Amino acid sequence: MPHLTDGLSTLGQYQGSGFTDRRYVVRRGDGQVLMLSRLLYLVVSSIDGVRDTETISHRVSGRYGQEVTEDNVVYLIENRLTPLGVTVPLGELPRKCAEAPTSDLLLALRGHRVILNEARVARVAAALSWLHRPPMVALVLTATAAVDVWLFAIHGAMTPLLRVLEQPIWMLAVFLLTVLSLLFHEFGHASACRYSGAVPGKIGCGIYLIWPALYTDVTDVYRIGRRGRLRTGFGGVYFNAVFILALTLGYLLTGQPFFLAAVYLAHFEVLEQLMPALRLDGYYILGDLAGVPDLFGKVKPILLSLLPGRRPAGAADLKRSARVIVATWVLTMIPLLLAEVCYALWNLPRLLTTAFRSLAEQVTGTFEAFGAGHLAAGGVGVIGALMLACPMVGGAYLAGRVLARLMRAAVRSTRGRPALRLAVAAAVGVSACVLGAAWWQGMTPAPLPPAPPVTPLLQPGVPRVRVAESPPADRPRIQPVTRPSPGSYPTGRATRPGTGGTGPTVAASPSGSPTAQPTPTQASASPRTGNTPTGSPTARQSATATTPPPSTRPGGTPPVSPSPSATDPATVSPSASATSSPSPSTT
């Protein structure tokens, strides 16, 4: 008598599939989503803890349309379903899946934690689902278009942002509004999921790439049609539009410019979410259009299928329309990603120099604030240090994972072919030498000079005005002149050199001709006050993964909305009859 693993649920047929054969979806208790063939799904749906293998064989035969013997059922359970963590070994009692394969996705959400459980999310989603009715959608989109025309063509969007940069307290207000918009973005996915007939899951947070991220578990959308999945995918950016209208109303009522600054940044959040290069909303929307949950899993077979005479198995099971969509996405995404990587490597010295210099100043200033007894300033300085350290640590971790995967892929592809392995090693060595020489010779862009921080409150001890470095020896130095006391000479009248006046001094120029030099003023360094927030991308939970993420935003703040997924549809088993893919959640 076979048993399913604890927490396993069947979600039915994958609607709107881009595959040539029908696929069915189940979800394990650990959240991993698997796509099974029709025969395997019939076996799974017939296991209830009461039927034995003989009864299951009769039931599956009648529904499958072909005879499936008891030995066939036993073989499928032991060699297909149990290795995937769907069933426990025959003769054992139900338990959680142990040592079951999971998808190890490079661009997936990590370390996710629950913020709102399913019950609370369901209540909020039910209260907001009316916003997805077609008349309301048309009204919101029309009003948002009118606001954009007014803001960018009439009022001006940059002026409010510059005013906010002048007031650190307004920066804090923009940060709080941005975090609120991220949470509202996730409720857009949850409410769209409920309006479409699926059941939304929990909302949580995690780390996507190098940024904190939010996500919404909307795995249940796998059992509804393509229209419902697309509505769920667009639900987040649609709620961004609703939030933009609320921010505009706040500006009209109060006249405070930080509301319009938050509107300006919200547009970047929307654009970031719609880019399909990362596992954000755009990635899942494109996957729903193609009917392929795991687009990244199809990159290699699609590229191989473009070669003459090659038709790998990973691309042969796709419909023609799906292959066209995925191939277009691959041919567009791969050059962009390669260009971004090359650009980052070329600018790596200036990135590292600026980052470590800023972090050193931040840590030093924070310790000085604590040493002087300024606990509030030191506590805020700790927040600023974390804001700097988080992307640095995350970037190093991501780079290490990418390098490790590339090395493993190179070893696998060159196994048994020493000439090819030697050629790959030589190419990598030459590239590294050329890049290292460019770094060493200073051919790459130089680091930015030190600049005063925009938000002094987060950087205690850092001077508001940077003192300029001393000029080189070959340049004439400016000699200070003693400033006389008030009234020692008529105002506005130049005095002779040597009489104690404040007139210009005469210094010898390199050519020998006298050059008038202005009197310098003293630059004083004083601690700054202010506060700079850190945004976080949202990710889409698919088994998902919160925003986005991602490039930095204006003012040095990281992207705030990526909606990546904790586990994404990805193949877990190479078996042709069962592929596992984590469920997408939208963020």
Side-chain angles (χ1 to χ4, degrees):
M1 184 180 299
H3 296 279
L4 300 176
T5 54
D6 289 341
L8 187 125
S9 58
T10 57
L11 302 181
Q13 182 178 352
Y14 179 54
Q15 304 292 331
S17 172
F19 299 96
T20 54
D21 57 336
R22 287 183 286 179
R23 301 293 177 91
Y24 295 80
V25 184
V26 298
R27 183 179 184 182
R28 291 194 319 230
D30 61 355
Q32 180 71 52
V33 174
L34 311 174
M35 301 192 73
L36 306 177
S37 65
R38 180 168 176 260
L39 177 59
L40 288 177
Y41 187 80
L42 290 176
V43 173
V44 171
S45 60
S46 299
I47 299 175
D48 58 0
V50 177
R51 301 186 183 96
D52 57 14
T53 53
E54 182 180 1
T55 306
I56 292 174
S57 68
H58 296 316
R59 179 181 175 86
V60 171
S61 298
R63 301 173 66 183
Y64 190 60
Q66 289 181 320
E67 182 181 2
V68 180
T69 65
E70 183 179 359
D71 291 339
N72 295 147
V73 172
V74 172
Y75 175 85
L76 293 176
I77 292 175
E78 291 181 341
N79 296 276
R80 292 291 185 267
L81 298 177
T82 299
L84 291 176
V86 177
T87 59
V88 298
L90 292 174
E92 296 185 11
L93 295 177
R95 55 177 173 79
K96 294 183 179 179
C97 57
E99 300 180 356
T102 57
S103 56
D104 182 21
L105 304 177
L106 179 62
L107 302 177
L109 190 72
R110 305 290 176 180
H112 30 89
R113 296 293 182 268
V114 176
I115 298 177
L116 298 174
N117 58 26
E118 291 85 347
R120 294 180 179 178
V121 172
R123 287 195 294 268
V124 177
L128 298 176
S129 59
W130 61 275
L131 288 171
H132 296 278
R133 296 174 181 172
M136 284 302 305
V137 173
L139 180 62
V140 167
L141 296 181
T142 303
T144 304
V147 167
D148 285 348
V149 171
W150 170 78
L151 179 62
F152 292 97
I154 300 175
H155 183 275
M158 191 56 63
T159 301
L161 184 63
L162 296 177
R163 290 182 178 177
V164 165
L165 294 178
E166 296 175 346
Q167 301 295 332
I169 190 63
W170 284 351
M171 290 286 292
L172 179 60
V174 172
F175 169 67
L176 296 177
L177 289 174
T178 302
V179 173
L180 185 60
S181 73
L182 297 180
L183 185 59
F184 196 65
H185 175 101
E186 299 307 320
F187 282 124
H189 293 303
S191 58
C193 178
R194 180 181 177 87
Y195 182 83
S196 302
V199 179
K202 55 185 176 293
I203 290 179
C205 63
I207 299 296
Y208 183 68
L209 297 182
I210 59 177
W211 307 116
L214 298 178
Y215 70 87
T216 305
D217 183 359
V218 291
T219 306
D220 199 52
V221 297
Y222 273 132
R223 66 179 180 85
I224 63 178
R226 179 180 297 176
R227 177 177 298 181
R229 293 199 302 271
L230 289 174
R231 181 185 292 111
T232 303
F234 280 108
V237 295
Y238 169 64
F239 264 44
N240 283 129
V242 176
F243 198 78
I244 285 175
L245 295 181
L247 292 174
T248 305
L249 180 61
Y251 171 75
L252 296 177
L253 295 178
T254 64
Q256 297 296 332
F258 63 82
F259 284 107
L260 293 185
V263 170
Y264 180 77
L265 296 179
H267 285 77
F268 285 94
E269 180 181 348
V270 171
L271 293 176
E272 179 186 48
Q273 284 294 330
L274 293 179
M275 290 190 301
L278 300 175
R279 296 181 189 271
L280 307 180
D281 290 353
Y283 173 85
Y284 295 102
I285 291 171
L286 184 61
D288 291 332
L289 287 173
V292 181
D294 182 23
L295 292 177
F296 279 121
K298 297 297 181 182
V299 170
K300 180 178 179 180
I302 287 294
L303 289 178
L304 293 178
S305 67
L306 298 178
L307 299 177
R310 298 294 298 273
R311 192 65 178 274
D317 58 349
L318 293 178
K319 297 178 182 178
R320 178 178 177 82
S321 58
R323 287 201 304 270
V324 171
I325 294 176
V326 177
T328 303
W329 173 75
V330 169
L331 295 177
T332 303
M333 181 202 65
I334 295 299
L336 290 177
L337 290 179
L338 290 177
E340 290 182 5
V341 171
C342 294
Y343 184 78
L345 290 176
W346 186 254
N347 289 271
L348 186 61
R350 69 187 311 203
L351 290 175
L352 295 179
T353 302
T354 305
F356 281 107
R357 181 184 66 201
S358 179
L359 183 61
E361 291 181 350
Q362 179 72 30
V363 172
T364 302
T366 301
F367 275 110
E368 290 177 354
F370 279 121
H374 302 152
L375 300 182
V380 176
V382 171
I383 298 176
L386 292 177
M387 291 166 54
L388 291 171
C390 179
M392 294 173 64
V393 174
Y397 170 75
L398 181 62
R401 292 197 65 205
V402 171
L403 289 176
R405 289 200 172 202
L406 291 177
M407 291 179 61
R408 290 197 299 266
V411 170
R412 286 195 304 267
S413 60
T414 59
R415 184 176 289 113
R417 293 184 285 181
L420 179 60
R421 178 170 295 185
L422 181 61
V424 171
V428 173
V430 170
S431 300
C433 291
V434 171
L435 190 59
W439 293 344
W440 183 260
Q441 297 297 329
M443 299 172 60
T444 58
L448 295 177
V454 178
T455 52
L457 184 60
L458 287 176
Q459 295 178 268
V462 179
R464 291 176 182 270
V465 180
R466 302 276 186 171
V467 180
E469 299 178 355
S470 59
D474 59 346
R475 295 183 184 178
R477 295 179 179 272
I478 299 176
Q479 302 295 330
V481 178
T482 305
R483 180 172 295 184
S485 59
S488 61
Y489 59 90
T491 303
R493 179 179 177 181
T495 59
R496 296 178 182 178
T499 61
T502 58
T505 62
V506 177
S509 64
S511 61
S513 59
T515 304
Q517 302 292 336
T519 301
T521 59
Q522 297 294 328
S524 60
S526 59
R528 304 176 57 181
T529 57
N531 200 339
T532 290
T534 299
S536 63
T538 62
R540 169 177 179 170
Q541 165 85 355
S542 76
T544 72
T546 202
T547 183
S551 59
T552 55
R553 292 180 176 277
T557 60
V560 289
S561 161
S563 227
S565 66
T567 51
D568 217 336
T571 299
V572 174
S573 170
S575 167
S577 58
T579 52
S580 72
S581 51
S583 63
S585 91
T586 53
T587 153

